[in-house]
Amino acid sequence: MTSATQGTRRSGPPLLETRDLVIKFGGVTAANNVSMQIEAGRNLAIIGPNGAGKTTFLNICTGWLKPQQGKVFLEGEDITTLPPRKIVQRGVARAFQIPQLFTEHTALENLLISAAARDGMRNPLQSLHRIRQRDEMMHLLDLVNCADVADRTVVELSEGQRKLIDIAVALALKPRLLLMDEPTSGVASSQKHEVMEILVGALAEAGVTSVFVEHDMGIVARHADEVAVWNAGNVQLRGTPDEILEHPDVIRDVIGEEVA
Amino acid sequence: KPETLKIGMTTFLTGPASVFGVPARDAMDIFVANLNAEGGINGVPIEVTYIDEGAGAEALTSEFRRVAQSGGAEIMLASISSGNCQTIAPLAEDLQVPNLMWDCGTQRIFEENEYDYVFRTQGNATSEMLAAVAYLLKTNPDFKTIAVVNQDYAWGRDSWDIFHTALEVMKPDVEVVGEFFPKFGSPDFSTEISRLQALRPDVILSTSWGGDLDTFVQQSFQRGLMNTSTFVLPLAESSLERLGPSLPAGHIVGARGDHYFLHPERRDDADFQSFMEQYKEATGDIPVYSVFHASQAFAAMQAAYEKAIADNGVDWPSEEQLLAAFEGLEFQGLGRPLYLREDNQGVESQLMGTSAQTGDYPFATLENIMIFDGDGLLPPIGETSIEWIKGLDASFVDTLQVETYDN
Amino acid sequence: MLDTSQRSAPKLSDKAGGLRSTRSLLTLAGVLLLAAVPLIAPSMQLLINLALAKGLAVLGVTILLRAGQVSFGHALFFGVSAYVGAFLMASMPQADLILVLIAGVAGAAISGLLVGLFVVRYRGIFFGMLNLAFSMIFWSILEKFYHITGGADGIRLARPTVLGMALERPEFEAVLFYLSLVLMVGLGWFTLRWFASPVGQIFQTIKTNETRLEYLGLSPKRVLLSGYLLSAALCGVGGSLMAMTQGVVTPEYVWWVRSAEMVFIAVLGGAGSVRGAFIGALIYEIVRVYASAFAGDIWQLLLGSFLLIIILFAPGGIMGIADSVMNRRSKSQPTNLGEDAQ
Amino acid sequence: MNLTIFLLALFDGISYAALVFIVALGLTLIFGVMRILNIAHGSLYAIGAYATVSLTGFFLALGFSPIFAFPLMIISAVLVGMLLGGPIEWLLLRRIYDKPEVLQLLVTFAVFMILEDAQRLVWGTQPYFQASALQALGNITLFGVTYTVYQLILLPLVAIGLLFGLRFFLRRTVIGKLILATTEDREAAQSIGIDADRVFLFTFIVGAVLAGLGGALASPTTSILPGMGADMIVLSFAVVATAGLGQIEGAAVAALLIGLGRSFAVYVWPEVAVLVPYLIMVLVLLIRPQGLFGSPVARKI
Amino acid sequence: MLEFRNVTASIGIIEILRNLNFRVDAAETLALIGRNGAGKTTLLRTIMGFTKVSGEVLFEGKPLTPLVPAKRPGLGIGYSPEDRRLFSAFTVEENILLPADAARLGAVETQRRLDKVYDVLPELKEMADRPAGNVSGGQGKMVALARALMIGTKLVMLDEPFQGLAPALALRYADALRALRDADRSITLIITESNPALLRGFASRTLVIERGEVSDGSLSPERKQP
Ligand SMILES: Nc1ncnc2c1ncn2[C@@H]1O[C@H](COP(=O)(O)OP(=O)(O)OP(=O)(O)O)[C@@H](O)[C@H]1O
Ligand SMILES: Nc1ncnc2c1ncn2[C@@H]1O[C@H](COP(=O)(O)OP(=O)(O)OP(=O)(O)O)[C@@H](O)[C@H]1O
Ligand SMILES: [Mg+2]
Ligand SMILES: [Mg+2]
């Protein structure tokens, strides 16, 4: 896979940096002076109450929304005003809270298209199913536990299956940075850990930096190197999972008493 | 000698131009039935296949070809729309099937190309427009301003071109104050009428036909425009019955030839009267000019066969003999006699009149009718109409042969 | 999870393989049958030639349907190409058939690029109506500048030479017929391959999710434009062939009803199906000509009813019917997922 | 262009726009709610006109006063909606709501073809004209130009009435809300208890009535002849697209732009009059890609 | 209350659920669990009438199958779909009120129910006037839940209601739902949920769906007597 970020820590600009992001929707402030630095090679979990602005943050980082103030940098390059595709071309991929798939294509085709988009399309008359990345993509499907539905069209899949395939599609781009919005919500709890385990392993092996929004604290505790807590458009706290998950504010606002 | 003489006829059975196409077909059915009742042409009965021009150019060409080739038609009658004429004429020539252009107005056909198999059994736009100009100048010599409201397609444009060119040389002091080309099939002329009311031209020309003409005249009538300007409507003969009382007295009406159900020279003839009755019985309407054009094509066909049979002393003519018979053929439909010129162009007289509400009919009839001889209204062979007209002058009107009738 | 799909997947593709070969055989038979038309049914030759020309244009519309976009103005490219041919013949009476074709297609492609750059920003009804608007603007130009374009009468198109030879009508028509046939097979094959290729597949994702497309690093507009160009060029091929077959071009070539008709045929054949485009065009033209020949003034009614029946009872179009007939025959084992799981 | 001419063009534009709006309104409604571009709308328009002419002719022949033409217009429109609109939705469209939109479009195209011939079979090919309603209201003269009261005053009033009536109905009434919900998500609407089938049937009938009413109101001003529907439908399409999806205020503004554009073109530059609807559409969409009143589709991701 | 007799449900030509036989008693709280793609959502959609069914689904002893989907909410069935399906043309509160409008409940009854819903989901009150199209993923789930409670007087079906909710909130809702059920013994709940922790001590019975078939989950140890 990619080699760009093999070295985990380098001096120089952080992989992704935001400075003082502000965005308001009418009366709602979804980002309020958000400044974040995301170092290469780490898994960052973002947690926070509903409506705190987590998805909005991913939207801004990938160019879907333009902040009213502030800037986004990718390895020092200002990408604030770039459209999503330009940012994706720079090695950022994203999986969505609500899966974004080509619903009339099969699961495998979704991945093959992703691979074709990644590597460029050389022979215009070669069948998509024959491209050389096919095995690689089957492997990816396997990784997210969906190999058995490879030939099913997406409309025929259940919500959980779609979420997993959505992640695989993002992964197929071989990004340097992978942003995932609640990757395990909708995935049956019996599969959650298994899938995350394999996924995180694969990401580490490929040296992919990941940021994932998550509501399942079990997952956060197990798979995040670092946790950021969002609240009302702000980064309230940041630290290791242990620190954060014990923090009384977090327990009160996010985790809830009982499970803790 | 064939068992039946098969002919094919293209006509509009659908679409807006079916106002002409359907009456022509109804008339054709009557002509054929009448002739077959008398035993047909030299004992051969006639059978017509109709092709709908409204079905589009592909269907038309395919059908034309099918009828002409595998359908075994010996002679074709095509067509109404000038676009279709342009398509069919070379096709007929290539297929080597004699084709009578029975209702095709564009003067370009024989001016731009030569044909051996294509004949026109009527006049053309040039003769029709020149007759209108001549009638206008004779009856209304003092007008100063004119405006035109024509349909925005080839006929509307071409006919104005001819009319305008003629006016420029025959009455150079006339000012054109407005030129409107609303789109074909326009449902509303209110804006044009408002504009015309503000402009107040002495004369308003419209060569429109069918629903467009009806709507334009009706709306003009409702809004009083017809009281202030004289309308020149070279195709209004085909709308008389429908317009009813909305076409008041004093406006100029033409008929694309000498076509009028009260044709002053023909109305007392027995064949004319009996056809009018038959037609009325079959359709409930009075015939419009396309019926006359159909009668001319039918007459030309019959005359050609009879002439070829007589000339050659055969039972049934070969194709060459038939074609030879068309040279200079003379024939007569429901109007005056016609003949074919050397360039295969028919020479047709032109009837113009002024509307009058006499009370004899629930619609306007014509008075002060003039029938112009067709000879003077066509350019000499080899000359294009516009060039020829540019060389004319004010004295042209006086050179025309014309008969005048009160009604 | 239903693991049935895994088991049935190879079966499905076996069956697809079987279907594919039946289909290729039938296609081959169909092409051969068409190739024999001038010999066995010469009176059908012109009709079929016109239908093939139209089928190529319909193929252009079909391409856009695959991206979920319906254009009500593709007759524009059909007409541009036809008029380019007519003007070329008028200024260069000795021009060759191949030259006319190439010039026409180039004209269509260039106008496709110009219009495309603008319309690819829009989707759905806006896309459809803007295409209509451009075709109607062109139509009005053809009608207005009648000194140049011949207005509604159009322009006659003399017979071009064929590889330098001047041919009489019958020979020329034979050449055109087989040329159309070859183009149908060649371009049809190309389009099939293109659909299956990564580029073509990406083009088809416009229909379902542009957000994901953007997040794959691709520009939906550019992707749509590429297909738009191809579709315009195909319409151009059809237009050139039609113009040379008819020997005359008129503004009717560009009239919106003709665009609508193309969409209609595309769906009749089976929306998005390459073979369907041609089969649809053939059936449409034949039904239309015979309906208008034998039912004079109610042909539209018959054609409309025929289409209604197809849409209601076989929404997959004629190709859908063909497929289900073949399916039924090749249904040796049940492929229903549910049954498998038992 | 002096002030008088300007005003004249304005009057003409408004009265034309009123008619276009009334016809386009039904189309916009159906499109907005059902996402079906109803090509048969043109035929319903034409049949509304034919029906009015026939009914009026019949009753006037019985000796009724011309003022009866007005109720007959409404009767014709309702007949068109009930007898044609209802069955089209009920028998044809309902069966294919789960199919691609383009199929629904084509069903209406097929119906259009059938109705075009049906009209000719019933009413023949000759144009009809029946202007009693228009004559009953008389003329007024402004700046030396005579207008019919019908076109200059009645049509715009009806158009404004329909605009506000329909707006109120959709925004302020419960049924209107349920219609809007169904528009957005048919299945979700059903799962909260909205009878989507009834909503669609009702909408289609109302749309068809409006088409018929357009024809009925147009009938005294124009010749009724085969093919009149085809022209109207393209114009209405342009209005719908310019307006923005299903936006009735947008339809009003678009109709007005097109009406005024056309009448000013006739005064200033008659050559482009035919092109006006298309030029306006292109211009509007260039500036506002979602149409005049449409809002950009916000995709939630 | 609700009974499945030999029900086989299919989408298109594909059978998704096969041969289901089970019953749900009044005032039960049934948890449906199963892996992704097992058929949980399909089961709920079958009760709503969105699949093709053979066999019989009885609701309060009467067959449901002849009723079109739109008639079913009128029986007191509320449904919160997994993918939210809010009407973005309306505000949050209008979305919640729509089922009441469709059932023509009348102003008083509507207000009564709305108050009750806000008691359960107080967070929604402050977003009442925001357009439903703009709320966040979790907020959308809350609105869908509220909408189901509005009309579901007898049966409330929640498809992964806590999906995407922050745990603190999810816990509170679980409590609130439990309170609601305890307060009104006429309500039957069917919940699909992938986090069993949230349903612990709440569901009276668990039904496991696997490959479109219901296994013996009814004997689940978590079963509690009502
Ligand atoms: N429209 C459809 N066409 C064909 N198959 C479908 C369709 N919808 C769902 N399926 C299939 O039916 C099965 C059950 O799907 P369902 O959505 O009910 O699962 P689920 O248990 O709710 O899963 P999840 O927890 O992921 O939401 C899945 O295997 C899915 O692929
Ligand atoms: N396009 C928009 N227009 C208006 N408001 C918006 C828009 N997008 C988000 N919001 C609002 O901004 C706030 C933050 O939304 P966001 O989707 O970022 O929340 P989140 O943290 O991802 O929540 P969840 O965990 O529920 O997904 C919410 O209150 C939401 O309603
Ligand atoms: Mg979110
Ligand atoms: Mg589910």
Side-chain angles (χ1 to χ4, degrees), chain B residues 347-380:
Chain B
V347 180
E348 182 185 34
S349 300
Q350 300 289 331
L351 180 150
M352 300 291 303
T354 302
S355 61
Q357 293 281 358
T358 59
D360 295 342
Y361 293 90
F363 50 86
T365 49
L366 302 185
E367 62 181 21
N368 192 23
I369 293 172
M370 294 183 193
I371 303 182
F372 294 88
D373 204 64
D375 275 317
L377 298 171
L378 286 171

Side-chain angles (χ1 to χ4, degrees), chain A residues 152 156-158 160, chain E residues 11 16 36-42 82 160:
Chain A
R152 299 272 275 295
E156 297 174 2
L157 298 179
S158 77
Chain E
I11 302 177
I16 311 277
N36 289 124
K40 304 180 292 290
T41 301
T42 308
E82 185 170 15
E160 314 233 3

Side-chain angles (χ1 to χ4, degrees), chain C residues 15-86:
Chain C
K15 200 186 79 175
L19 269 189
R20 209 172 301 130
S21 58
T22 338
R23 218 189 237 189
S24 321
L25 274 181
L26 283 179
T27 309
L28 185 69
V31 171
L32 288 179
L33 187 68
L34 282 180
V37 160
L39 309 173
I40 54 178
S43 66
M44 298 281 285
Q45 180 185 331
L46 178 76
L47 174 62
I48 288 176
N49 200 348
L50 294 172
L52 291 183
K54 216 180 242 186
L56 281 162
V58 172
L59 186 57
V61 173
T62 296
I63 288 185
L64 289 177
L65 283 181
R66 284 274 184 119
Q69 303 304 316
V70 184
S71 162
F72 293 121
H74 256 49
L76 169 64
F77 307 115
F78 194 74
V80 165
S81 159
Y83 270 88
V84 166

Side-chain angles (χ1 to χ4, degrees), chain B residues 241-290:
Chain B
E241 192 178 6
R242 291 194 305 271
L243 283 173
S246 302
L247 179 60
H251 300 282
I252 297 171
V253 171
R256 290 197 67 203
D258 59 330
H259 313 317
Y260 180 38
F261 78 110
L262 298 172
H263 194 297
E265 292 170 4
R266 297 280 275 124
R267 63 188 166 214
D268 298 326
D269 296 353
D271 62 333
F272 190 88
Q273 283 179 346
S274 85
F275 173 79
M276 291 299 147
E277 273 163 31
Q278 275 183 298
Y279 187 85
K280 176 96 196 169
E281 198 171 304
T283 65
D285 297 323
I286 63 161
V288 298
Y289 74 71
S290 63

Side-chain angles (χ1 to χ4, degrees), chain C:
Chain C
M1 219 180 290
L2 280 177
D3 57 355
T4 57
S5 50
Q6 206 169 14
R7 274 190 281 134
S8 63
K11 226 180 283 169
L12 274 172
S13 53
D14 274 359
K15 200 186 79 175
L19 269 189
R20 209 172 301 130
S21 58
T22 338
R23 218 189 237 189
S24 321
L25 274 181
L26 283 179
T27 309
L28 185 69
V31 171
L32 288 179
L33 187 68
L34 282 180
V37 160
L39 309 173
I40 54 178
S43 66
M44 298 281 285
Q45 180 185 331
L46 178 76
L47 174 62
I48 288 176
N49 200 348
L50 294 172
L52 291 183
K54 216 180 242 186
L56 281 162
V58 172
L59 186 57
V61 173
T62 296
I63 288 185
L64 289 177
L65 283 181
R66 284 274 184 119
Q69 303 304 316
V70 184
S71 162
F72 293 121
H74 256 49
L76 169 64
F77 307 115
F78 194 74
V80 165
S81 159
Y83 270 88
V84 166
F87 284 124
L88 183 73
M89 285 308 297
S91 59
M92 244 175 86
Q94 291 313 307
D96 200 83
L97 173 92
I98 302 299
L99 185 64
V100 174
L101 189 63
I102 291 174
V105 176
I110 292 170
S111 51
L113 181 66
L114 296 179
V115 175
L117 279 173
F118 182 70
V119 297
V120 294
R121 297 170 52 204
Y122 305 86
R123 300 290 180 273
I125 184 189
F126 299 115
F127 179 85
M129 292 306 297
L130 277 171
N131 275 293
L132 177 99
F134 282 106
S135 72
M136 291 304 283
I137 289 171
F138 185 59
W139 177 82
S140 309
I141 291 172
L142 292 180
E143 292 258 348
K144 291 277 171 201
F145 295 89
Y146 70 115
H147 288 299
I148 304 165
T149 63
D153 286 355
I155 312 179
R156 271 200 62 194
L157 192 109
R159 266 198 291 285
T161 57
V162 178
L163 302 176
M165 295 172 290
L167 299 181
E168 282 304 301
R169 183 180 277 264
E171 293 82 51
F172 180 73
E173 286 190 341
V175 169
L176 263 187
F177 183 86
Y178 287 105
L179 177 66
S180 308
L181 202 64
V182 167
L183 284 172
M184 171 185 94
V185 173
L187 293 172
W189 177 83
F190 173 84
T191 310
L192 273 176
R193 295 302 301 261
W194 186 80
F195 276 152
S197 76
V199 186
Q201 290 285 324
I202 286 175
F203 172 73
Q204 293 168 56
T205 62
I206 295 277
K207 183 175 181 185
T208 49
N209 200 327
E210 292 186 34
T211 304
R212 178 44 89 186
L213 200 51
E214 179 87 27
Y215 274 97
L216 292 182
L218 299 171
S219 155
K221 281 178 204 159
R222 194 153 329 137
V223 166
L224 183 54
L225 184 62
S226 68
Y228 195 85
L229 275 179
L230 179 58
S231 84
L234 284 171
C235 283
V237 178
S240 275
L241 289 176
M242 177 74 89
M244 288 188 282
T245 317
Q246 291 275 40
V248 65
V249 294
T250 62
E252 208 236 89
Y253 275 51
V254 200
W255 183 234
W256 73 271
V257 174
R258 195 176 274 268
S259 298
E261 194 182 80
M262 289 179 187
V263 178
F264 212 143
I265 297 174
V267 176
L268 171 73
S273 156
V274 171
R275 294 175 185 86
F278 295 101
I279 297 178
L282 282 168
I283 293 188
Y284 181 88
E285 285 302 311
I286 290 172
V287 170
R288 175 176 164 138
V289 164
Y290 284 94
S292 77
F294 296 112
D297 43 8
I298 55 161
W299 63 269
Q300 284 200 80
L301 197 150
L302 293 179
L303 190 56
S305 315
F306 173 69
L307 293 163
L308 215 48
I309 289 170
I310 294 273
I311 297 170
L312 289 183
F313 298 102
I318 291 162
M319 282 312 289
I321 302 180
D323 276 354
S324 64
V325 169
M326 287 196 291
N327 263 333
R328 209 168 300 148
R329 278 225 225 95
S330 67
K331 203 176 189 174
S332 46
Q333 344 93 316
T335 48
N336 183 311
L337 288 177
E339 290 169 48
D340 273 5
Q342 301 297 320

Side-chain angles (χ1 to χ4, degrees), chain B residues 117-272:
Chain B
Y117 288 83
V118 181
F119 307 90
R120 177 162 21 211
T121 55
Q122 51 147 143
N124 62 27
T126 307
S127 53
E128 290 156 20
M129 285 305 112
L130 285 183
V133 175
Y135 187 88
L136 174 63
L137 293 180
K138 277 178 183 289
T139 56
N140 207 342
D142 297 325
F143 74 102
K144 294 274 176 293
T145 53
I146 185 169
V148 60
V149 182
N150 276 4
Q151 288 150 314
D152 191 15
Y153 78 113
W155 164 253
R157 298 278 179 175
D158 280 354
S159 57
W160 170 238
D161 237 15
I162 298 170
F163 195 99
H164 185 205
T165 312
L167 213 52
E168 265 178 346
V169 296
M170 294 175 200
K171 193 166 164 55
D173 58 333
V174 168
E175 191 196 346
V176 178
V177 293
E179 290 179 74
F180 302 102
F181 292 90
K183 80 174 186 343
F184 183 88
S186 180
D188 182 35
F189 298 89
S190 303
T191 313
E192 285 81 4
I193 290 169
S194 297
R195 186 99 181 86
L196 289 170
Q197 285 193 327
L199 290 169
R200 296 191 180 271
D202 297 332
V203 171
I204 295 171
L205 168 73
S206 177
T207 65
S208 306
W209 49 264
D212 294 30
L213 179 65
D214 294 7
T215 307
F216 179 56
V217 171
Q218 295 270 11
Q219 292 187 336
S220 302
F221 174 66
Q222 280 151 4
R223 295 183 51 188
L225 185 60
M226 302 200 90
N227 303 333
T228 52
S229 301
T230 302
F231 280 58
V232 178
L233 308 170
L235 271 71
E237 179 264 353
S238 57
S239 286
L240 287 178
E241 192 178 6
R242 291 194 305 271
L243 283 173
S246 302
L247 179 60
H251 300 282
I252 297 171
V253 171
R256 290 197 67 203
D258 59 330
H259 313 317
Y260 180 38
F261 78 110
L262 298 172
H263 194 297
E265 292 170 4
R266 297 280 275 124
R267 63 188 166 214
D268 298 326
D269 296 353
D271 62 333
F272 190 88

Side-chain angles (χ1 to χ4, degrees), chain E residues 113-155:
Chain E
R113 291 198 192 180
L114 185 64
D115 291 343
K116 216 172 78 185
V117 167
Y118 279 149
D119 279 348
V120 181
L121 303 153
E123 287 78 8
L124 290 181
K125 226 172 193 163
E126 56 205 61
M127 8 189 303
D129 294 329
R130 305 229 320 249
N134 290 337
V135 298
S136 79
Q139 291 165 338
K141 280 304 258 203
M142 290 148 57
V143 181
L145 175 65
R147 209 172 54 184
L149 293 178
M150 195 71 193
I151 190 81
T153 49
K154 292 186 178 147
L155 175 63

